[in-house]
Amino acid sequence: FDCSGLVQYSAKKSLNVNMPRRSSDQAGYGSNISFANIKAGDLLFFNTSGSPNSHVGIYLGQTYFVHAPSSGGAVRVEDYTMDYWQKRFNGARRIQ
């Protein structure tokens, strides 16, 4: 998986929702929510390549999210309080 492929696959399997393929398109899907109101399952968007919403992960709760850093890379859990992620955070969306 890459990041958006993981989100697309997870949304289809868990919610039976057909998400767009690209993270930038996924950023327009669902409802915009404030960071203070995120819940497990919400999508977190980041600017990791100089473009808004170029990366996406799924919030797990507490301070963690799951994401696929690149195609062929290992899916992993990260702490969003890390400076790297905090500086690149673009927003959160809720898919229902």
Side-chain angles (χ1 to χ4, degrees):
F1 287 114
D2 64 2
C3 65
S4 58
L6 175 64
V7 167
Q8 186 183 45
Y9 176 84
S10 299
K12 183 63 177 171
K13 289 294 183 183
S14 63
L15 302 171
N16 199 30
V17 171
N18 293 314
M19 294 285 294
R21 178 66 183 97
R22 296 172 24 150
S23 60
S24 58
D25 295 331
Q26 291 173 349
Y29 200 87
S31 304
N32 189 37
I33 54 172
S34 70
F35 192 74
N37 293 318
I38 59 173
K39 293 194 249 183
D42 290 340
L43 304 181
L44 304 181
F45 291 90
F46 303 91
N47 178 344
T48 59
S49 67
S51 298
N53 307 314
S54 56
H55 191 69
V56 61
I58 303 168
Y59 180 61
L60 299 174
Q62 297 180 354
T63 62
Y64 299 100
F65 70 101
V66 63
H67 71 117
S70 62
S71 295
V75 173
R76 63 184 186 219
V77 174
E78 299 268 359
D79 186 334
Y80 70 72
T81 63
M82 291 175 51
D83 196 46
Y84 177 87
W85 296 113
Q86 290 291 303
K87 288 180 178 178
R88 290 164 175 79
F89 181 73
N90 284 144
R93 309 284 297 181
R94 181 162 297 145
I95 309 304
Q96 297 180 12

